[in-house]
């Protein structure tokens, strides 16, 4: 009797696309594949059923089980991966030789502290971070870049972008074709962007109050001098958005009306459900990090990038190793990958405050976070908000970002876009397979649950950028002549060409 091969592997959402090749439907590969996925599911169920009082510990056990099982996956092993067999037979083993050379090169680069192969082709100020402009403010912690207008007239309200300090700002100014900053300039806006310093041990005592003062308040003062009387469209990405939400709440508390709107891109304000990143953050782990930071004076960039790689070990580690070391095909470096390798440090005091006040104690959402010695409340905000979440975000899960609906009663436009934490934001018009949903919650109206929001939101094809630009346009005045670059007579001369000096610090 003929032997009937096992059925095609039944993949869950976590493995979508992983075993799609027809070779995985052949015996014995389908058997190994199905066995791996069943073992992974079984270990996950077992770990989450452990008799531990703390749900955090059960989730950590399930995460550890996945990390332990991943090296045993059939696609990560040359003996159980049919694609590696096929390539090795076709090339008489040349793929394995190339893979060994790639592994050797990567090892040497890591040992020498060099970026990944190909990152040298994406240099700030040349291939990336190349939108023309001038540094108009430099303090101990941040530079403020004002971008040169490319339209004859501009909207009277400038845009201030506050990026996260975990990485370099130019994720929002990558190559010319996918630069959000260049796009906004081309749409007739005067754009300012903060570029953070890469801290050293000498900056160990910088705290969140310093980031607010030097990274938000002083840039706002500079913009007020350069564009007198103009209200500002404040925009924050990731932790920069969280910082901007703190600053905007303090301004609302104090009656400061300089902001015209607030846009938060993949930024959390409620950290009660921070997703898998929260696995690395509990009282014990924070205490360990604080002890290490006390000795170093900063949180090392390699530890942050290591945590992100663990969260997406399949995509960022194992898949790349299979492709480059077993199949022998080096993946071309992209601008986003090169930026991701250009990591930064974080001052010891600030990082400890950030972890304790936000992740452990959730002070901002609870109305306990203090600015200038007094608590701030997101409920005090009265300006319109545009908030973006991304579908597969492992840093700021969209349901966590969505919680802003319950913290502030203002008119809130929420957008959920395809992609992850970085690629979902870097979503230029014309990018294939992009889509998003959007829905306005009117001021004072109750918030929908995330599931109800999904059902009610309007779906759109393409990039969310034009949707945001239309929202900004509706809150802006008629175009006027562009302001000068800097205001030397008021103490804000044009210093250096963009992208400035801080972005070059290693």
């Amino acid at each position: 009797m003929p032997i009937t091969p096992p059925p095609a592997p039944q993949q869950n959402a976590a493995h979508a696309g992983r075993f799609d090749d027809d070779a995985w439907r052949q015996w014995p590969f389908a058997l190994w594949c199905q066995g791996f996925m069943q073992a992974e599911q079984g270990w996950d169920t077992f770990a989450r059923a452990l008799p531990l009082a703390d749900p955090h510990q059960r989730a950590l056990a399930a995460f550890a089980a996945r990390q332990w099982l991943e090296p045993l996956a059939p696609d990560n092993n040359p003996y159980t991966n049919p694609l590696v067999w096929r390539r090795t037979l076709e090339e008489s083993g040349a793929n394995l030789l190339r893979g060994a050379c790639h592994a050797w090169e990567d090892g040497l680069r890591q040992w020498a502290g060099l970026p990944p192969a190909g990152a040298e082709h994406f240099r700030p100020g040349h291939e990336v971070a190349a939108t023309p402009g001038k540094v108009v403010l430099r303090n101990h912690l941040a530079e403020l870049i004002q971008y040169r207008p490319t339209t004859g007239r501009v909207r009277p309200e400038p845009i201030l972008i506050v990026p996260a300090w975990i990485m370099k700002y130019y994720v929002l100014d990558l190559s010319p074709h996918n630069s959000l900053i260049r796009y906004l300039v081309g749409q007739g806006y005067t754009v300012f962007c903060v570029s953070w310093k890469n801290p050293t041990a000498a900056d160990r005592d910088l705290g969140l109050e310093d980031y607010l003062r030097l990274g938000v308040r002083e840039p706002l003062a500079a913009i007020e001098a350069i564009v007198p009387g103009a209200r500002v469209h404040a925009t924050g990405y990731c932790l920069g958005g969280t910082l901007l939400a703190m600053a905007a709440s303090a301004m609302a508390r104090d009656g400061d009306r300089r902001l015209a709107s607030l846009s938060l891109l993949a930024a959390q304000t409620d950290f009660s459900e921070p997703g898998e990143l929260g696995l690395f953050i509990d009282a014990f782990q924070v205490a360990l990090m604080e002890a290490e930071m006390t000795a170093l004076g900063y949180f090392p960039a390699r530890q942050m990038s290591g945590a992100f790689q663990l969260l997406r070990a399949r995509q960022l580690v194992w898949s790349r190793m299979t492709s480059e070391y077993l199949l022998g095909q080096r993946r071309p470096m992209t601008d986003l990958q090169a930026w991701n390798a250009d990591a930064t440090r974080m001052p010891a005091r600030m990082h400890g405050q950030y972890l304790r006040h936000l992740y452990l104690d959730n002070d901002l959402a609870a109305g306990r976070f203090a600015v200038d010695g007094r608590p701030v409340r997101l409920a005090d905000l009265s300006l319109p908000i545009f908030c973006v979440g991304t579908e597969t975000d492992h840093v700021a899960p969209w349901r966590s970002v969505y919680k802003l609906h319950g913290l502030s009663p203002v008119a809130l436009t929420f957008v959920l876009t395809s992609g992850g934490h970085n690629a979902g934001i870097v979503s230029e018009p014309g990018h294939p397979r992009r889509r998003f949903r959007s829905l306005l919650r009117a001021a004072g109206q109750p918030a929908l649950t995330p599931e109800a929001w999904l059902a009610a939101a309007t779906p759109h094809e393409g990039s969310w950028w034009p949707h945001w630009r239309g929202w900004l346009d509706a809150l802006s005045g008629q175009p006027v002549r562009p302001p000068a670059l800097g205001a030397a007579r008021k103490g804000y001369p044009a210093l250096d060409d963009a992208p400035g000096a801080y972005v070059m610090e290693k």
Side-chain angles (χ1 to χ4, degrees), residues 110-365:
Q110 188 171 22
W111 176 78
L114 297 174
E120 63 274 10
H121 301 307
F122 297 96
R123 302 165 296 168
H126 297 274
E127 295 81 15
V128 294
T131 302
K134 290 285 186 180
V135 174
V136 295
L137 167 69
R138 178 181 294 123
N139 56 41
H140 180 68
L141 184 59
E143 292 177 330
L144 180 67
I145 302 170
Q146 180 185 358
Y147 291 93
R148 189 180 302 278
T150 58
T151 56
R153 301 178 75 78
V154 298
R155 297 285 182 169
E157 296 83 4
I159 296 173
L160 169 62
I161 297 176
V162 180
W165 54 83
I166 288 179
M167 304 293 281
K168 302 288 180 69
Y169 85 91
Y170 65 92
V171 65
L172 303 175
D173 187 24
L174 288 172
S175 302
H177 74 277
N178 62 356
S179 164
L180 178 57
I181 288 172
R182 186 179 291 260
Y183 172 80
L184 291 170
V185 171
Q187 298 300 310
Y189 280 92
T190 300
V191 179
F192 295 84
C193 185
V194 171
S195 174
W196 299 104
K197 175 185 174 64
N198 195 355
T200 65
D203 303 308
R204 66 172 64 240
D205 293 325
L206 290 174
L208 278 173
E209 287 268 8
D210 297 302
Y211 273 73
L212 277 166
R213 176 174 57 87
L214 299 173
V216 178
R217 289 175 166 175
E218 288 195 6
L220 277 174
I223 294 172
E224 188 174 18
I226 296 168
V227 195
R231 300 181 75 201
V232 177
H233 292 304
T235 301
Y237 173 51
C238 186
L239 287 181
T242 306
L243 187 74
L244 201 51
M246 298 173 185
S249 298
M251 293 171 73
R253 178 199 65 193
D254 299 338
D256 187 335
R257 305 300 179 191
R258 284 179 292 170
L259 300 186
S261 71
L262 180 63
S263 297
L264 302 178
L265 315 181
Q268 297 177 96
T269 50
D270 184 325
F271 289 78
S272 58
E273 295 178 301
E276 285 198 322
L277 190 59
L279 292 172
F280 302 105
I281 304 172
D282 57 32
F284 175 71
Q285 294 181 80
V286 169
L288 286 179
M289 283 188 276
E290 287 176 331
E292 180 183 9
M293 291 189 297
T294 298
L296 291 176
Y298 56 82
F299 187 68
R302 67 179 183 277
Q303 287 190 223
M304 181 61 72
S305 60
F308 289 153
Q309 286 187 333
L310 272 179
L311 289 177
R312 299 181 64 207
R314 163 63 195 156
Q315 297 90 340
L316 298 180
V317 179
W318 294 104
S319 177
R320 184 184 67 83
M321 292 176 66
T322 298
S323 175
E324 299 191 0
Y325 302 162
L326 299 183
L327 296 174
Q329 51 191 33
R330 177 76 88 179
R331 295 178 178 178
M333 178 64 66
T334 66
D335 51 6
L336 190 58
Q337 290 171 331
W339 164 82
N340 195 54
D342 194 6
T344 61
R345 297 172 291 274
M346 284 169 281
R349 184 178 176 218
M350 182 280 299
H351 195 53
Q353 290 176 336
Y354 153 66
L355 293 176
R356 288 194 176 277
H357 287 303
L358 297 181
Y359 273 94
L360 292 186
D361 298 335
N362 203 20
D363 284 344
L364 180 59

Side-chain angles (χ1 to χ4, degrees), residues 30-63:
L31 185 65
W32 294 336
C33 173
Q34 201 67 269
F36 165 73
M37 289 191 289
Q38 290 174 353
E40 187 179 54
Q41 183 178 6
W43 274 102
D44 185 78
T45 302
F46 172 75
R48 294 184 185 278
L50 288 172
L52 299 171
D54 187 354
H56 174 80
Q57 296 300 323
R58 292 197 295 273
L60 193 60
F63 177 80

Side-chain angles (χ1 to χ4, degrees), residues 83-84 86-106 320-331:
L83 307 183
V84 176
R86 184 170 63 197
R87 179 67 59 86
T88 303
L89 290 172
E90 289 173 351
E91 299 190 17
S92 301
N95 56 306
L96 298 178
L97 180 59
R98 289 196 307 275
C101 293
H102 294 157
W104 176 258
E105 180 186 10
D106 290 347
R320 184 184 67 83
M321 292 176 66
T322 298
S323 175
E324 299 191 0
Y325 302 162
L326 299 183
L327 296 174
Q329 51 191 33
R330 177 76 88 179
R331 295 178 178 178

Side-chain angles (χ1 to χ4, degrees), residues 22 79 195 248 265 302 347 421 473:
D22 287 342
Y79 302 106
S195 174
L265 315 181
R302 67 179 183 277
H421 187 69
D473 287 352

